[in-house]
Amino acid sequence: MQSALTDFLASNNISAAQIRDDYERRRRDAEQQAEADGDVTTADQVEEVAAETQAREETTEQKKKRKRKEDAAIAKIKKSKRYQSRKLQLAGEPGEDDDDEIAFDIYAKSKPLPGQLENCEICEKRFTVTPYSKTGPDGGLLCTKCSKAQEEERKKEAKAKKGPTVREKRRKVQSNLLDGLVNRGAKSLLEHCIERVADSIKDVEEFGDLPPALLNRLSKILSKRRVLTSRTLDLFLRPDVDAIAIYDCGRLETEDYIRIFSIVPNVQRLDLRYAGQFKDSVFDYMMVRKVPIRNLRLDAANLVSDAKWRELFDTIGNKLECLELSWLDYAFDNETVRHMVTGCPNLKHLKMKRCFHLGDDALELFSQMRNLESISLTFMTPTTGAKLTDMVLSLGKGLRKLSLRRFQDADDGLLEAIRQSCAKLTKLVITNNDRCTDAGFVALFSQWENPPLTAAAFSSTRDIDNSAPDGPEAAVGLASGGFFALMKHSGSRLERLDISSCRHISRETLRQVFDGKMQYPALADIDISFVSRVDTTVVAGIFKSCPAVRKVAAFGCFDVRDVIVPPGVALIGVPTAQDSIVQEGSHTGLNAVIDF
């Protein structure tokens, strides 16, 4: 038995298959139209195109009917209180044409009902109104595409107005602590100005006559944020400056380096970090322009060939007084060092960090540079201890700073050479070594005629036999005796101290050195990370024995708990430390901790 609807459809030759085919045909037509317009993906876009197709197929009769409805709606609006109120708000006496414009404006902004057709306020395309249609900036409705664009823009503006979250603020505070910066109270006007300039760097056209110190500060901030590009580089380039320091050149191209020398022809100090696109052509331009460079520091300039390095030293090497090169794994071999030694007779400061092709031959060549006052070496290839000892004996008389990192084969002979030949050192660095003994350090600092050091670093000088964590009976590396002798020799002038990972220093020695009675008036930066004997008493003693301390790094010191941090001091790496709860000038509780 058939229903009445089935009989009606059959009498009019309409079948379910025909209805389905008509629907599929209309949908295919809408999708093909969307593909032709370049929008082919979402169902909303397909529905929008279908609505536009329906609007284009509007007949003349339908247009007349829609016009009649608009005229009736406008006439009704003219009788409404909203129209009268709007009319009184406008200045002057509007004529009949103006009355029609006011009424039509109100009509245009009145929201149609769902299912009706409407023109998008932004793109003016015709679409079908739904209960979810968004309102545009002028009160009209928006199509699906414009609604999504407006929502994305709104979210961006809301995020910008919201400002940094609590997590971002905490990250900023921790970043400052790692840099040793502790802010108490309000920031200075100068700091606010520098940060505001850095935040608005995209809108800055020039820095003007900022002094070099502020330019260097801005360069550090922008480099840390990784926003130094070809455009922002121009802000630092002025013909009257003689020093350029860019701490992140990762987004600069070769032409940018050439532009530095063209705009700043008299640059004497050049410091470029992560200079991956620094090539031979840059040195060619610098030599043609005869740039009076004296201080050159390049990091990761691996596209410069050995031939160009040699040409540079042979051409302008006599002008160089300071040379610092790091992370060179492609070029700069021992033969290039030979050209540097012969072509740079006036070199006073030399730093070679992680230059992969240097070895014993380079150490022999460095021994010929008798005018050096500072030398810092970090080699990646193994060297013999005797070659390093001979170099120190040759250069030690004139050295003021000596830094030797990762020379694992150096032994007590090196310490003896330092004691015999070096009498003017202010900085001594020996790290990552397991051959020098504690007895050698005791002999060095007990019998050394050198004035007190201002900077000392002996990190990771210890025995590395994991099966014997306490080390051999004859202590290896800087242990209790060597540390006590160091502080007795240099404690009066020492400003920076790094004994991280010197795990053979006993707790008794640490407490004896930092007992609150012995004073180290200049010591401001201390790194005691991974010295397992450090506890709360030792850290509290550091605060009392070092009145000038500003930064204490104590990573891996798990016996430090609930220590009171004085105002203005950055204690890094201790999650259980209290944050500056002692008021300025009041040390209540600190004496209780130190009295042991």
Side-chain angles (χ1 to χ4, degrees):
M1 183 175 182
Q2 296 181 346
S3 64
L5 177 60
T6 304
D7 292 337
F8 172 78
L9 294 176
S11 63
N12 289 276
N13 295 323
I14 300 175
S15 64
Q18 181 182 353
I19 295 174
R20 184 177 62 254
D21 293 341
D22 291 343
Y23 169 75
E24 294 294 339
R25 178 180 56 79
R26 289 195 300 272
R27 188 169 184 84
R28 283 196 303 271
D29 292 342
E31 291 178 351
Q32 291 173 0
Q33 182 62 34
E35 291 178 358
D37 294 339
D39 301 325
V40 296
T41 54
T42 65
D44 290 338
Q45 292 172 325
V46 173
E47 291 178 3
E48 181 180 342
V49 172
E52 293 174 2
T53 304
Q54 181 180 353
R56 286 195 295 267
E57 294 175 353
E58 189 178 32
T59 63
T60 305
E61 186 64 28
Q62 290 173 334
K63 289 181 180 179
K64 291 180 180 180
K65 184 178 180 180
R66 179 167 53 83
K67 181 63 175 174
R68 288 196 299 269
K69 288 183 179 180
E70 290 180 359
D71 293 341
I74 291 174
K76 185 177 180 180
I77 288 173
K78 287 184 177 182
K79 299 177 183 180
S80 65
K81 292 182 179 181
R82 181 182 178 188
Y83 169 77
Q84 299 298 332
S85 175
R86 175 64 175 165
K87 185 175 180 180
L88 290 175
Q89 291 177 3
L90 298 177
E93 296 293 336
E96 186 66 25
D97 293 340
D98 293 333
D99 292 346
D100 291 340
E101 290 180 2
I102 296 173
F104 188 80
D105 183 61
I106 295 175
Y107 169 75
K109 293 182 178 179
S110 60
K111 295 183 179 179
L113 297 175
Q116 295 180 342
L117 295 177
E118 179 65 9
N119 292 327
C120 176
E121 180 183 300
I122 297 177
C123 66
E124 298 183 353
K125 288 184 178 179
R126 202 153 177 81
F127 68 99
T128 302
V129 179
T130 69
Y132 308 103
S133 297
K134 303 292 184 180
T135 303
D138 295 332
L141 296 179
L142 302 180
C143 64
T144 304
K145 185 176 181 180
C146 295
S147 297
K148 292 181 179 179
Q150 179 180 257
E151 185 66 17
E152 291 177 358
E153 187 67 24
R154 186 192 63 79
K155 289 181 180 179
K156 290 181 181 179
E157 293 177 358
K159 185 177 180 180
K161 291 180 180 179
K162 186 177 181 181
T165 62
V166 174
R167 181 178 181 181
E168 291 172 343
K169 290 181 179 178
R170 184 178 182 274
R171 181 180 180 183
K172 176 65 175 177
V173 171
Q174 296 302 318
S175 177
N176 289 338
L177 285 176
L178 290 174
D179 293 336
L181 303 176
V182 179
N183 295 323
R184 291 188 56 78
K187 296 180 180 179
S188 66
L189 178 60
L190 178 61
E191 292 174 340
H192 275 295
C193 292
I194 291 176
E195 291 183 0
R196 180 56 61 89
V197 171
D199 292 338
S200 308
I201 193 63
K202 294 182 179 180
D203 301 324
V204 176
E205 296 182 357
E206 62 177 14
F207 284 153
D209 297 328
L210 286 180
L214 292 186
L215 286 176
N216 189 56
R217 175 67 177 152
L218 282 170
S219 178
K220 289 182 178 180
I221 294 176
L222 298 179
S223 296
K224 189 174 183 179
R225 298 182 182 183
R226 299 190 68 85
V227 294
L228 266 171
T229 60
S230 298
R231 193 194 72 83
T232 51
L233 173 66
D234 290 336
L235 301 175
F236 295 91
L237 304 183
R238 299 201 314 254
D240 60 318
V241 300
D242 60 358
I244 299 294
I246 307 298
Y247 298 96
D248 181 11
C249 302
R251 302 177 68 179
L252 301 183
E253 300 295 335
T254 305
E255 294 75 13
D256 299 323
Y257 300 114
I258 294 177
R259 195 167 69 255
I260 293 176
F261 299 114
S262 64
I263 299 178
V264 193
N266 297 318
V267 60
Q268 298 182 14
R269 179 182 177 274
L270 184 65
D271 187 349
L272 303 176
R273 315 284 179 90
Y274 307 105
Q277 294 300 315
F278 197 101
K279 301 179 180 179
D280 289 357
S281 57
V282 182
F283 275 149
D284 288 333
Y285 186 85
M286 187 176 73
M287 288 185 285
V288 170
R289 294 293 297 268
K290 298 182 179 180
V291 178
I293 195 80
R294 293 185 178 181
N295 187 325
L296 178 62
R297 177 170 185 173
L298 291 178
D299 175 71
N302 284 301
L303 297 182
V304 180
S305 63
D306 273 314
K308 192 56 60 178
W309 280 116
R310 297 165 190 173
E311 182 183 353
L312 176 73
F313 294 138
D314 294 340
T315 305
I316 64 170
N318 59 339
K319 299 178 182 178
L320 289 178
E321 297 178 358
C322 175
L323 179 63
E324 298 185 18
L325 303 176
S326 58
W327 289 103
L328 299 180
D329 56 7
Y330 170 70
F332 214 93
D333 55 12
N334 292 323
E335 183 60 29
T336 304
V337 173
R338 189 182 306 278
H339 283 259
M340 181 191 71
V341 172
T342 57
C344 306
N346 300 318
L347 205 61
K348 296 180 179 179
H349 175 81
L350 176 64
K351 183 175 183 179
M352 293 288 174
K353 177 182 177 183
R354 299 181 185 274
C355 298
F356 285 67
H357 299 285
L358 302 186
D360 282 341
D361 292 342
L363 294 178
E364 290 184 2
L365 293 169
F366 292 152
S367 302
Q368 305 174 21
M369 307 180 73
R370 302 302 173 85
N371 291 328
L372 284 179
E373 298 179 0
S374 171
I375 185 170
S376 177
L377 303 176
T378 305
F379 281 11
M380 301 301 295
T381 56
T383 59
T384 57
K387 297 290 184 181
L388 187 62
T389 300
D390 292 342
M391 185 198 72
V392 172
L393 290 172
S394 299
L395 304 178
K397 185 177 180 180
L399 289 180
R400 297 183 181 274
K401 296 180 181 180
L402 176 62
S403 177
L404 303 173
R405 301 178 184 271
R406 300 181 66 88
F407 287 92
Q408 299 178 355
D409 292 331
D411 53 17
D412 286 348
L414 172 64
L415 301 179
E416 180 64 20
I418 294 175
R419 188 187 68 80
Q420 292 180 6
S421 60
C422 300
K424 298 187 295 184
L425 286 184
T426 60
K427 176 181 178 181
L428 177 61
V429 177
I430 300 175
T431 67
N432 298 92
N433 179 272
D434 60 348
R435 296 289 184 87
C436 297
T437 65
D438 186 52
F441 282 107
V442 171
L444 171 63
F445 294 115
S446 301
Q447 307 171 17
W448 201 11
E449 297 180 357
N450 194 82
L453 300 170
T454 59
F458 301 100
S459 64
S460 300
T461 54
R462 77 279 190 253
D463 181 66
I464 56 176
D465 185 2
N466 294 327
S467 62
D470 294 332
E473 184 175 350
V476 174
L478 185 71
S480 300
F483 178 60
F484 187 84
L486 166 65
M487 298 306 292
K488 185 177 180 179
H489 174 271
S490 302
S492 59
R493 296 185 184 178
L494 201 60
E495 298 175 5
R496 296 186 302 276
L497 174 65
D498 183 1
I499 56 170
S500 59
S501 298
C502 294
R503 61 184 181 182
H504 303 313
I505 301 177
S506 67
R507 181 169 296 163
E508 291 72 19
T509 301
L510 291 168
R511 291 184 174 183
Q512 184 179 2
V513 170
F514 299 112
D515 61 355
K517 299 176 182 178
M518 299 179 66
Q519 293 292 300
Y520 310 102
L523 193 54
D525 189 339
I526 309 174
D527 191 346
I528 53 174
S529 301
F530 304 103
V531 180
S532 58
R533 302 298 189 271
V534 172
D535 59 5
T536 304
T537 304
V538 173
V539 174
I542 290 175
F543 295 149
K544 195 172 182 69
S545 294
C546 308
V549 67
R550 290 294 175 265
K551 178 182 177 181
V552 179
F555 291 97
C557 299
F558 301 108
D559 291 335
V560 179
R561 297 185 179 90
D562 300 324
V563 66
I564 297 175
V565 183
V569 177
L571 179 59
I572 306 171
V574 182
T576 56
Q578 301 179 40
D579 295 332
S580 300
I581 62 174
V582 181
Q583 299 299 317
E584 190 74 43
S586 174
H587 294 276
T588 304
L590 186 58
N591 290 326
V593 175
I594 200 67
D595 290 337
F596 51 84

